[in-house]
């Protein structure tokens, strides 16, 4: 059974966010935000005061319309939801500026940004507001959707329509894949160009602190020079997560032993560099990767043409294996949250992946014809191999701490092979790692400590 979020940590997070939301909606703040947005755009007069237009997973947004027909968007990192607000804002600004300079991905223009917004609202980004008809998720999801629902791909969607919509995303991913660096981490502007100078700030890191009570000091603090070192760090984080999450991490002694063993196996494999994929000799081998790139963040016009890609937080230079994995969002819902279970997700995903890879190959052909891509930079074959080999599941499990246990049987198949059915893979855990007597004593002490937490 997978780990659940720590309810106590979640409640603390919600309390902080609710207080911020109340402040952000207050007359004093609305007045100050109106004056701030107007002063930052002196070329035109506002039509009205600023108004709240969105409360996202990590940000709180206001919009202001001007009498010259333009609009601006002011976005604050939300306390209680954004656990590294200054770092997140700096990283997102850097990647947006870089992508605007180095790709054809439509990125909103940044008008201003800083660490102290009006009324002590904290880090902000002021950018152009891009008008759109909808987003790609609205065109992909099943009919009858309401705001309370989690979006799921329409099972009856026309395949040619699906290929066209997938193709919009494929082109964005292809452009990101051509942004290569020599380290794993976040971008920063430097004299003479851009460089990876900061640690990779990921969505999983944010959620670990927000929803798992993970100690910030235990997270990595600098960039990584090799994929093997980064994979080892991710495996260590998975173990530390189980160790430090006080509530809702385990359900029984047997459950705790299973989770402990899975994380020790991952650590051992990472230390032996058995979690990394193909060997790449190119010095600039790490690819720009966005944890939150999905159809919801791709705005389109009435003809389904992309007009903007938004929400670039948690974008970093990552191991190429992440880019070479096919995207999880093809069904819109994650495998761990699929209503019919993860095995059904995998079967359904496989059929949709064929459509996506056709769309990807078509966009690769166009990019190669136009001189924007070389044949050796194709992703479609690599994504096919990642799915078929099971590397997809290894990368997914490493990136998403709360999903590791539920995807473990797929990782087991990818690493150890065999024909055992999915349900029997958990029973094979003890055969996958040989604990010494001292290691067994260590596990026993760990389990007893977690059981005390469970009853405290």
């Amino acid at each position: 059974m997978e780990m659940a979020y720590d309810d106590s940590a979640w409640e603390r997070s919600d309390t902080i966010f609710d207080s911020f939301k109340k402040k952000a909606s207050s007359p004093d703040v609305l007045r100050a935000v109106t004056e701030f947005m107007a002063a930052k755009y002196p070329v035109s007069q506002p039509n009205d005061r600023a108004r709240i237009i969105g409360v996202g997973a990590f940000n709180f947004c206001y919009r202001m319309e001007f009498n010259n027909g333009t609009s601006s968007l002011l976005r604050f990192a939300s306390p209680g939801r954004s656990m590294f607000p200054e770092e997140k804002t700096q990283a997102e600004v850097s990647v947006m500026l870089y992508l605007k300079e180095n790709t054809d991905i439509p990125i909103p223009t940044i008008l201003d940004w800083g660490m102290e917004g009006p009324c002590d609202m904290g880090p902000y980004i002021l950018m152009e507001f891009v008008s759109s008809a909808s987003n790609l998720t609205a065109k992909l999801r099943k009919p009858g959707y309401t705001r309370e629902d989690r979006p799921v791909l329409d099972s009856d969607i026309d395949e040619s329509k699906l290929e066209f919509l997938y193709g919009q995303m494929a082109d964005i991913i292809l452009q990101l894949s051509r942004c290569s660096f020599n380290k794993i981490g976040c971008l920063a502007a430097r004299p003479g160009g851009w460089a990876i100078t900061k640690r990779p700030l990921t969505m999983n890191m944010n959620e670990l602190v927000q929803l798992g009570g993970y100690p910030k000091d235990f997270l990595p603090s600098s960039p990584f020079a090799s994929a093997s070192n980064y994979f080892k760090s991710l495996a260590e984080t998975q173990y530390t997560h189980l160790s430090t999450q006080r509530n809702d991490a385990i359900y029984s002694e047997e459950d705790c032993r299973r989770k402990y063993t899975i994380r020790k196996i991952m650590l051992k494999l990472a230390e032996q560099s058995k979690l990394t994929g193909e060997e790449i000799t190119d010095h600039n081998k790490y690819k720009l990767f966005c944890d939150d790139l999905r159809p919801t963040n791709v705005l389109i016009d009435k003809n389904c043409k992309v007009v903007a890609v938004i929400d670039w937080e948690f974008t970093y230079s990552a191991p190429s294996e992440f880019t070479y994995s096919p995207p999880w969002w093809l069904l819109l819902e994650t495998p761990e949250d699929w209503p019919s279970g993860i095995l059904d997700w995998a079967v359904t995903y496989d059929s949709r992946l064929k459509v996506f890879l056709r769309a990807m190959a078509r966009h690769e052909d166009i990019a190669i014809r136009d001189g924007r891509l070389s044949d050796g930079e194709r992703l479609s074959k690599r994504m096919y191999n990642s799915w078929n080999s099971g590397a997809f599941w290894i990368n997914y499990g490493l990136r998403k701490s709360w999903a590791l246990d539920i995807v473990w049987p797929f990782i087991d198949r990818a690493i150890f092979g065999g024909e055992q059915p999915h349900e029997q893979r958990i029973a094979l855990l003890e055969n996958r790692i040989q604990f010494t007597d001292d290691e067994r004593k260590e596990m026993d002490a760990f389990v007893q400590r977690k059981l005390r937490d469970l009853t405290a």
Side-chain angles (χ1 to χ4, degrees):
M1 188 178 292
E2 69 269 26
M3 289 176 66
Y5 294 139
D6 184 324
D7 277 344
S8 295
W10 198 341
E11 188 175 336
R12 287 194 300 272
S13 166
D14 280 349
T15 299
I16 294 168
F17 175 67
D18 288 344
S19 176
F20 173 77
K21 189 164 59 171
K22 185 176 180 181
K23 174 184 175 181
S25 307
S26 68
D28 286 348
V29 169
L30 285 168
R31 185 165 48 251
V33 164
T34 296
E35 294 171 358
F36 181 82
M37 295 181 76
K40 293 291 184 180
Y41 195 72
V43 297
S44 183
Q45 291 298 309
N47 289 340
D48 198 357
R49 65 178 179 84
R51 65 181 189 272
I52 298 166
I53 64 157
V55 182
F58 307 105
N59 305 293
F60 197 97
C61 302
Y62 304 84
R63 179 184 177 186
M64 176 173 277
E65 298 176 12
F66 295 88
N67 59 18
N68 66 352
T70 61
S71 297
S72 64
L73 177 78
L74 181 62
R75 219 186 66 178
F76 291 99
S78 298
R81 298 287 170 82
S82 294
M83 310 312 291
F84 309 91
E86 294 85 2
E87 185 179 0
K88 180 184 87 77
T89 300
Q90 289 175 335
E92 185 167 13
V93 166
S94 291
V95 82
M96 288 176 70
L97 295 173
Y98 174 87
L99 290 173
K100 208 163 182 66
E101 286 181 14
N102 293 279
T103 73
D104 294 325
I105 299 170
I107 307 289
T109 298
I110 294 176
L111 305 173
D112 187 44
W113 68 283
M115 294 296 109
E116 287 297 331
C119 296
D120 297 319
M121 290 281 283
Y124 69 91
I125 303 176
L126 179 68
M127 65 184 86
E128 66 168 331
F129 176 85
V130 180
S131 297
S132 62
S134 61
N135 59 45
L136 275 178
T137 291
K139 300 297 181 182
L140 290 165
R141 68 191 177 207
K142 68 180 181 181
Y145 173 84
T146 64
R147 289 180 66 88
E148 293 76 30
D149 296 333
R150 294 175 69 102
V152 175
L153 182 70
D154 180 7
S155 58
D156 297 321
I157 192 169
D158 178 77
E159 197 164 287
S160 60
K161 176 185 176 182
L162 182 62
E163 186 171 337
F164 172 75
L165 296 173
Y166 276 170
Q168 300 282 297
M169 296 294 296
D171 186 66
I172 296 165
I173 293 170
L174 277 172
Q175 292 200 56
L176 279 180
S177 74
R178 301 201 69 232
C179 304
S180 300
F181 302 91
N182 62 1
K183 288 182 182 178
I184 295 167
C186 283
L187 269 174
R190 287 291 179 267
W194 297 88
I196 302 298
T197 62
K198 301 178 180 179
R199 68 178 178 179
L201 181 64
T202 69
M203 184 181 290
N204 194 59
M205 288 164 61
N206 192 87
E207 290 186 341
L208 282 169
V209 175
Q210 178 197 358
L211 302 172
Y214 193 102
K216 287 185 178 182
D217 291 347
F218 289 9
L219 291 167
S221 58
S222 57
F224 292 83
S226 73
S228 58
N229 284 342
Y230 185 55
F231 276 53
K232 182 181 177 185
S233 173
L234 292 176
E236 289 170 345
T237 298
Q238 295 279 20
Y239 174 79
T240 304
H241 176 210
L242 178 64
S243 178
T244 58
Q245 180 171 318
R246 184 169 180 83
N247 306 298
D248 311 299
I250 64 163
Y251 302 94
S252 66
E253 179 175 344
E254 181 184 12
D255 181 60
C256 186
R257 289 185 185 279
R258 278 199 303 265
K259 287 170 176 169
Y260 179 93
T261 303
I262 286 171
R263 284 153 183 79
K264 283 294 186 178
I265 292 172
M266 292 295 281
L267 260 173
K268 182 178 180 180
L269 292 170
E271 288 166 353
Q272 296 171 348
S273 298
K274 290 184 177 179
L275 297 179
T276 53
E278 62 183 71
E279 191 64 33
I280 301 171
T281 55
D282 181 9
H283 187 54
N284 290 324
K285 55 191 173 182
Y286 305 118
K287 309 291 185 180
L288 211 52
F289 181 84
C290 178
D291 279 338
D292 202 25
L293 179 62
R294 53 199 169 96
T296 300
N297 293 335
V298 178
L299 309 183
I300 55 176
D301 63 17
K302 62 182 181 181
N303 299 315
C304 295
K305 177 178 169 55
V306 176
V307 294
V309 184
I310 59 172
D311 291 353
W312 289 98
E313 60 243 300
F314 312 123
T315 301
Y316 52 100
S317 172
S320 56
E321 288 90 342
F322 292 3
T323 293
Y324 296 162
S325 290
W328 65 263
W329 48 255
L330 297 188
L331 303 182
L332 302 183
E333 183 60 281
T334 60
E336 62 270 27
D337 292 318
W338 187 247
S340 303
I342 195 167
L343 285 172
D344 183 73
W345 185 94
V347 172
T348 310
Y349 182 90
D350 186 72
S351 67
R352 297 312 191 181
L353 178 60
K354 293 179 174 66
V355 181
F356 177 79
L357 293 181
R358 276 204 311 271
M360 175 67 80
R362 181 165 53 83
H363 279 267
E364 288 169 345
D365 291 342
I366 295 169
I368 290 170
R369 182 197 66 197
D370 295 345
R372 294 182 284 112
L373 193 77
S374 70
D375 194 63
E377 293 175 313
R378 286 182 181 270
L379 296 181
S380 53
K381 184 177 180 181
R382 290 183 168 102
M383 287 183 172
Y384 174 83
N385 291 338
S386 175
W387 177 250
N388 270 10
S389 69
F392 167 90
W393 294 106
I394 297 172
N395 299 326
Y396 190 87
L398 282 170
R399 289 203 313 273
K400 292 175 172 279
S401 289
W402 281 275
L404 177 61
D405 299 289
I406 197 169
V407 306
W408 170 256
F410 293 105
I411 296 175
D412 184 273
R413 179 181 294 277
I415 297 292
F416 300 105
E419 298 301 321
Q420 295 88 351
H422 186 90
E423 297 82 356
Q424 292 181 11
R425 295 271 168 180
I426 290 294
L428 298 172
L429 273 173
E430 290 190 8
N431 300 331
R432 303 310 192 200
I433 187 169
Q434 299 300 315
F435 288 120
T436 65
D437 289 343
D438 286 344
E439 287 170 337
R440 287 201 171 276
K441 289 177 183 176
E442 181 185 330
M443 176 167 64
D444 290 341
F446 182 99
V447 170
Q448 293 307 311
R449 176 172 65 82
K450 296 302 291 184
L451 288 173
R452 287 195 295 273
D453 287 347
L454 190 62
T455 56

